[in-house]
Amino acid sequence: MPDPIITLTTDFGDDSPYAAALKGVILAINPLARIIDLSHQIPPQDVRHAAFFLAESLPYFPAEAIHIVVVDPGVGSKRALLFVDIDSIRLLAPDNGCWTMLRGKPQRVIHLDNKQFWRSEVSATFHGRDILAPVAAHLSRGVEATLLGPIVTQWNGLALAEPRKLPDSVAGEVIFVDHFGNLITNIPCDWIRANPISIQWGESASERLDWVRTYSDSAPGRLVGLSSSSGHLEISIVQGKAAKDLNARAGTPIRIVYEEPG
Amino acid sequence: MPDPIITLTTDFGDDSPYAAALKGVILAINPLARIIDLSHQIPPQDVRHAAFFLAESLPYFPAEAIHIVVVDPGVGSKRALLFVDIDSIRLLAPDNGCWTMLRGKPQRVIHLDNKQFWRSEVSATFHGRDILAPVAAHLSRGVEATLLGPIVTQWNGLALAEPRKLPDSVAGEVIFVDHFGNLITNIPCDWIRANPISIQWGESASERLDWVRTYSDSAPGRLVGLSSSSGHLEISIVQGKAAKDLNARAGTPIRIVYEEPG
Amino acid sequence: MPDPIITLTTDFGDDSPYAAALKGVILAINPLARIIDLSHQIPPQDVRHAAFFLAESLPYFPAEAIHIVVVDPGVGSKRALLFVDIDSIRLLAPDNGCWTMLRGKPQRVIHLDNKQFWRSEVSATFHGRDILAPVAAHLSRGVEATLLGPIVTQWNGLALAEPRKLPDSVAGEVIFVDHFGNLITNIPCDWIRANPISIQWGESASERLDWVRTYSDSAPGRLVGLSSSSGHLEISIVQGKAAKDLNARAGTPIRIVYEEPG
């Protein structure tokens, strides 16, 4: 059997010792654990960024993996820490909705309150190191999730804007800006009808949009719309940074307008 | 027995091929080694940053790990390279004091001078690749540390400022700015008496400080003092960046003043 | 036998879920794979940066490793994806020349076109996840490279400037700026004759240059020339950032001038 996999997704950055401390705690409890960094560059305390990140990465992993998520503006407060089993994905995270963009219905959500699997001293500001890391390590050694605490049936979600289909347009918003400055929206790509279309964003800006299959189908500098690798409408500038040029960010309203009503 | 663990802490950045070269050298000598990145984002040549980073991460690892540290402004000069065994932590580093914030007395310090465990050609500017990486790989295969060179009894430390207890205040300095802009000081948290207190920093700035258990005990934007996850006094702005707003950095003097003398 | 090694070199950044998705895809196909991050911080779509990065890191790895490279401005276009076996290095990359700074003649180059080893759905914008990652995972399970597609004898290279030896000077250009702001040039270090020399760069700037063995042989702030860890002429400012102070970048012309003709 392969050695167990534990992945890490945090907003700790790589210049601070926090991610390193998690790794040490995990390996001290389970020296066989294989630790996989997903990211330590989630923008600080940006739960929505984390939510999209997780939705676009965790489903690709084998079900054996255990995923630790530490983006935790509420650390030390009464917010719960959860074990979640959803669609064959097992993760440990604060109860802040960061996992609620994953598809499917959770099979089981557990409130971590059994201190037997925590570090003996728990800091008020570092539950990742003192609770989530040791719990993950114990899980990876075969501890049953049901021992971690009681099953719960309520948790916090994210208030996600719903995209809308209108007679002459579709409306939604940017939900993620990627490393290349591409704008990923909440609009399903198969909602978009054929050319020609224009895009409106923010308060009033508007521009023609090339509808393409991939970036290289248009010329450098062109504003294009295409299906993102996750099937969402993506707005891009070929070999450029759409987020910068359009001054757009997560939450910026996006409307795709057809020139001829359908 | 689990495969051996070798961790890496460097200031190489992630855009340059230097950390990748270390990994290749290690795996070519010991294909079983499990390489764990702690950080390649130590600020360039910032030995003090590295020292705090190591003190807050290495103690969590199992004793079997071997830790490589390459923050090395003196590369190629006569500064020694060391093997250090301190408090069940084994590390390889330049003799620049980067390990001297770790608690405890070193059991053994060895000056690496046995070229048998180095790469056959040694560059004057890349001892991490040509000396530390192959030595770590050989150690992870079971080579005895005593074969690496002679035991030494002298090494370079860091000139660390000592915090001071005064009748109406405690004085110290910032020793680390973390990824969230929190200021970690050299003042032990249990030196701080109860409310109310104010903080003075830098030349003359002064402000009221909420004394809290965790960030979420105060309101966004508030300046708070609390116990860091390592037990030091930490100065934070809730959901903000204290380092930026207070214009503080490692070395900035900090004084905590009681309103009523004790 | 050690578990198979798969390395990743991309321009995905660490804030986006793309590298994490690759890791999931690999581990779902081969749960035994050991994934090694080389970099996700190649500057976006900078094939030349990637080429130097690979040339300075891949040769150190054991031959068993499989290297995935995703710096892919042409994703989704008709550019091929390749398996390359060169000088005991096996890599998977887009056909954009990123591997052509590796020394030696390729033993075998294969055009990946056998969809049997791809993900069943292939996005037009994410061939790293949908083609390269699964192909690498299958290779790591022992699939023969010849099954991946036909052998090809033509591929794209990089137009690399050649350095020139002149009676009173040598001329070349910057090919890489490292994390410390050091300028690595395409001039072999053993072309440089003894002191004293000056350096000309860009349009017309010129300055005296200390020729040294290592940085610490000169004083902080001094402009020095030395042999890089790869044997190229490197231009550095001791404890400074030469790239910034000289306003130089990859492609900046560099000329080393002798004061007395040879």
Side-chain angles (χ1 to χ4, degrees):
Chain A
M1 212 171 71
D3 290 332
I5 293 166
I6 297 178
T7 81
L8 302 181
T9 304
T10 80
D11 61 356
F12 292 159
D14 292 300
D15 50 343
S16 296
Y18 307 129
L22 255 71
K23 297 178 187 185
V25 168
I26 291 167
L27 289 167
I29 296 173
N30 188 355
L32 291 170
R34 290 188 292 159
I35 296 172
I36 310 274
D37 293 301
L38 299 197
S39 177
H40 302 295
Q41 296 290 347
I42 302 296
Q45 306 172 342
D46 190 337
V47 173
R48 283 163 181 277
H49 191 105
F52 183 84
F53 186 101
L54 297 173
E56 293 305 315
S57 54
L58 301 195
Y60 297 103
F61 279 83
E64 293 73 25
I66 295 163
H67 305 283
I68 296 179
V69 185
V70 198
V71 178
D72 192 10
V75 63
S77 71
K78 286 193 193 301
R79 68 92 189 81
L81 292 167
L82 302 178
F83 165 87
V84 180
D85 185 347
I86 175 170
D87 198 21
S88 296
I89 295 165
R90 292 183 297 161
L91 61 87
L92 296 161
D95 181 17
N96 57 24
C98 65
W99 56 275
T100 54
M101 284 180 72
L102 288 163
R103 279 188 207 125
K105 200 177 162 315
Q107 278 93 50
R108 202 161 49 175
V109 180
I110 286 171
H111 176 181
L112 305 182
D113 76 353
N114 186 348
K115 297 185 183 181
Q116 178 187 351
F117 301 108
W118 301 4
R119 292 189 73 230
S120 53
E121 275 187 68
V122 171
S123 149
T125 56
F126 199 179
H127 289 176
R129 177 191 68 191
D130 297 336
I131 302 179
L132 297 181
V135 166
H138 286 294
L139 279 172
S140 77
R141 291 178 60 140
V143 165
E144 276 297 320
T146 46
L147 296 177
L148 301 174
I151 291 179
V152 293
T153 54
Q154 289 200 307
W155 46 82
N156 291 309
L158 287 177
L160 296 172
E162 289 294 325
R164 283 163 299 137
K165 261 186 189 164
L166 303 166
D168 65 335
S169 63
V170 293
E173 63 178 46
V174 175
I175 50 172
F176 192 81
V177 176
D178 79 7
H179 185 67
F180 302 95
N182 300 318
L183 309 173
I184 319 294
T185 73
N186 63 345
I187 301 170
C189 201
D190 51 18
W191 282 21
I192 308 289
R193 284 196 278 117
N195 267 324
I197 47 181
S198 68
I199 176 176
Q200 293 174 358
W201 69 96
E203 293 301 304
S204 61
S206 174
E207 198 167 319
R208 285 296 296 269
L209 190 71
D210 287 351
W211 185 249
V212 297
R213 198 184 57 87
T214 189
Y215 313 113
S216 50
D217 287 349
S218 194
R222 292 287 303 174
L223 187 68
V224 300
L226 71 170
S227 175
S228 82
S229 59
S230 55
H232 296 89
L233 168 67
E234 173 177 335
I235 309 295
S236 247
I237 289 177
V238 180
Q239 294 176 31
K241 296 247 181 198
K244 193 178 161 210
D245 287 12
L246 273 60
N247 192 26
R249 60 187 63 80
T252 296
I254 295 284
R255 180 179 289 234
I256 299 293
V257 183
Y258 306 114
E259 296 199 344
E260 298 162 23
Chain B
M1 213 172 70
D3 289 333
I5 294 166
I6 297 177
T7 82
L8 302 180
T9 303
T10 79
D11 61 356
F12 292 158
D14 291 300
D15 50 343
S16 296
Y18 306 129
L22 255 71
K23 297 177 188 185
V25 168
I26 291 168
L27 290 167
I29 295 173
N30 188 354
L32 292 170
R34 290 189 292 160
I35 296 171
I36 310 274
D37 293 302
L38 299 197
S39 176
H40 302 295
Q41 294 292 347
I42 303 296
Q45 305 171 343
D46 189 336
V47 173
R48 282 164 182 275
H49 190 105
F52 183 84
F53 186 102
L54 298 173
E56 293 306 314
S57 55
L58 300 196
Y60 298 103
F61 279 83
E64 292 73 26
I66 296 163
H67 305 284
I68 297 178
V69 185
V70 198
V71 179
D72 192 11
V75 64
S77 70
K78 285 191 192 303
R79 69 92 188 80
L81 292 167
L82 301 178
F83 166 87
V84 180
D85 185 346
I86 175 169
D87 199 22
S88 296
I89 295 166
R90 292 182 298 160
L91 61 87
L92 297 161
D95 181 17
N96 57 25
C98 65
W99 55 276
T100 54
M101 283 179 73
L102 288 163
R103 277 186 210 126
K105 202 176 160 317
Q107 279 92 50
R108 202 160 50 173
V109 180
I110 285 171
H111 176 182
L112 306 182
D113 77 353
N114 186 348
K115 297 184 183 181
Q116 178 187 350
F117 301 109
W118 302 5
R119 292 189 74 231
S120 52
E121 276 188 67
V122 172
S123 150
T125 56
F126 199 0
H127 289 175
R129 177 191 69 192
D130 297 337
I131 302 179
L132 297 181
V135 165
H138 285 294
L139 279 172
S140 77
R141 292 178 59 141
V143 164
E144 276 297 321
T146 45
L147 296 177
L148 302 174
I151 290 179
V152 293
T153 54
Q154 290 200 307
W155 47 81
N156 291 309
L158 287 177
L160 297 172
E162 289 294 325
R164 283 162 299 136
K165 260 185 189 166
L166 304 167
D168 66 334
S169 64
V170 293
E173 65 178 45
V174 175
I175 52 172
F176 192 80
V177 176
D178 79 8
H179 186 68
F180 302 94
N182 299 318
L183 309 173
I184 320 294
T185 73
N186 62 346
I187 300 171
C189 202
D190 51 18
W191 282 22
I192 308 288
R193 283 195 278 117
N195 265 325
I197 47 181
S198 68
I199 177 176
Q200 294 174 358
W201 70 95
E203 292 300 305
S204 61
S206 174
E207 200 169 316
R208 285 295 296 266
L209 190 72
D210 287 351
W211 185 250
V212 297
R213 197 183 58 87
T214 188
Y215 313 114
S216 50
D217 287 349
S218 193
R222 291 288 302 175
L223 187 67
V224 300
L226 71 170
S227 176
S228 82
S229 59
S230 55
H232 296 90
L233 168 68
E234 173 177 335
I235 308 295
S236 247
I237 289 177
V238 179
Q239 292 176 31
K241 296 248 180 199
K244 193 178 160 210
D245 288 11
L246 273 60
N247 192 26
R249 60 188 62 80
T252 297
I254 296 284
R255 179 179 290 232
I256 298 294
V257 184
Y258 305 114
E259 295 200 347
E260 299 162 24
Chain C
M1 213 171 71
D3 289 334
I5 293 166
I6 297 178
T7 81
L8 303 180
T9 303
T10 79
D11 61 357
F12 291 158
D14 292 299
D15 51 344
S16 297
Y18 307 129
L22 255 71
K23 297 178 188 185
V25 168
I26 291 168
L27 290 167
I29 295 172
N30 188 354
L32 292 170
R34 290 189 292 160
I35 297 172
I36 310 274
D37 292 302
L38 300 197
S39 177
H40 302 294
Q41 295 291 346
I42 303 295
Q45 305 172 343
D46 190 337
V47 174
R48 283 164 181 275
H49 190 104
F52 182 84
F53 185 101
L54 298 173
E56 294 305 314
S57 55
L58 301 196
Y60 297 102
F61 279 82
E64 292 73 25
I66 296 164
H67 305 283
I68 296 179
V69 185
V70 198
V71 178
D72 192 11
V75 64
S77 70
K78 285 192 194 301
R79 68 93 188 82
L81 291 167
L82 302 177
F83 165 87
V84 180
D85 185 346
I86 175 170
D87 197 22
S88 295
I89 295 165
R90 292 182 298 161
L91 61 87
L92 297 161
D95 181 18
N96 58 23
C98 65
W99 55 276
T100 54
M101 284 180 71
L102 287 163
R103 277 185 211 128
K105 203 177 160 313
Q107 277 93 50
R108 201 160 50 174
V109 180
I110 286 171
H111 177 181
L112 305 180
D113 77 353
N114 186 349
K115 298 185 181 178
Q116 178 187 350
F117 302 108
W118 303 4
R119 292 188 73 231
S120 53
E121 276 187 69
V122 172
S123 150
T125 57
F126 199 0
H127 290 176
R129 176 191 68 192
D130 297 337
I131 302 178
L132 298 181
V135 165
H138 285 294
L139 279 172
S140 77
R141 291 178 60 141
V143 164
E144 276 297 321
T146 45
L147 297 176
L148 302 174
I151 290 179
V152 292
T153 54
Q154 290 200 308
W155 47 81
N156 291 309
L158 287 176
L160 296 172
E162 290 294 325
R164 284 163 298 137
K165 259 186 190 165
L166 304 167
D168 66 333
S169 64
V170 293
E173 65 179 44
V174 175
I175 51 172
F176 192 81
V177 176
D178 78 9
H179 186 67
F180 302 94
N182 300 317
L183 309 173
I184 319 293
T185 73
N186 63 345
I187 301 171
C189 201
D190 52 17
W191 282 21
I192 308 290
R193 282 197 278 119
N195 267 324
I197 47 180
S198 68
I199 176 176
Q200 293 174 358
W201 70 96
E203 293 300 304
S204 60
S206 174
E207 200 169 317
R208 284 296 295 266
L209 190 72
D210 287 352
W211 185 250
V212 297
R213 198 183 58 86
T214 189
Y215 313 113
S216 50
D217 288 348
S218 194
R222 290 288 303 175
L223 185 68
V224 300
L226 71 170
S227 176
S228 82
S229 59
S230 55
H232 296 90
L233 169 67
E234 173 177 336
I235 308 295
S236 247
I237 289 177
V238 179
Q239 292 175 32
K241 296 249 181 199
K244 192 178 163 212
D245 288 11
L246 274 59
N247 192 26
R249 61 188 62 81
T252 297
I254 295 284
R255 180 179 289 233
I256 299 293
V257 184
Y258 306 114
E259 295 199 345
E260 297 163 26

